[in-house]
Amino acid sequence: DKAINIMQQCVGIQKQHLPTSRKELCTSLNNLGLYYAEKGMLHEAIGTLEECLVARRLFLPPEHPDIGTTLWNLGNAYKEGKNVVKATELFWECLSVREKRLHATHPDVIAV
């Protein structure tokens, strides 16, 4: 898939030239992970989203919305892979993050 190749190249270049904790690298990892999941490449999606989560936790506060987003995306990848226990754990963690930062009526909190 040409899009995956381009996204992988982008992440590779960013890894060479940016610190792991850069927001741009994390955004690219998140997007690549989502695209892998969309294509049914769940092993790659989970690995990439886990890498994104580790990197985001290096430089963002624990309740940052981007961490919640990555937890949500990772939970969905596990759900698609039929690992409901892990998915549920991640969704609960996502909800906890979002509730600390957002109002209970915020759409991102309600979605969880």
Side-chain angles (χ1 to χ4, degrees):
D1 184 299
K2 190 171 184 171
I4 288 176
N5 290 335
I6 292 169
M7 293 172 84
Q8 289 171 332
Q9 288 176 8
C10 178
V11 167
I13 291 167
Q14 288 176 324
K15 283 182 176 181
Q16 288 178 349
H17 299 287
L18 297 174
T20 303
S21 60
R22 284 296 297 255
K23 181 177 174 92
E24 296 85 356
L25 174 57
C26 293
T27 299
S28 295
L29 287 167
N30 188 70
N31 292 342
L32 179 58
L34 288 174
Y35 195 71
Y36 280 141
E38 183 180 308
K39 293 295 184 180
M41 302 169 66
L42 297 176
H43 181 74
E44 292 85 352
I46 289 168
T48 304
L49 291 167
E50 285 178 346
E51 182 180 356
C52 176
L53 182 60
V54 167
R56 282 186 166 162
R57 285 182 165 157
L58 288 175
F59 72 97
L60 294 174
E63 70 282 352
H64 194 281
D66 286 352
I67 290 177
T69 297
T70 303
L71 289 165
W72 177 259
N73 294 338
L74 188 54
N76 277 317
Y78 273 107
K79 184 180 80 173
E80 289 298 316
K82 308 299 183 215
N83 188 339
V84 178
V85 172
K86 183 68 175 175
T88 301
E89 173 187 315
L90 290 162
F91 290 145
W92 279 111
E93 189 176 353
C94 171
L95 179 61
S96 175
V97 167
R98 288 179 175 178
E99 284 180 332
K100 288 176 186 168
R101 189 66 177 244
L102 305 170
H103 293 101
T105 58
H106 190 281
D108 286 349
V109 174
I110 294 169
V112 178

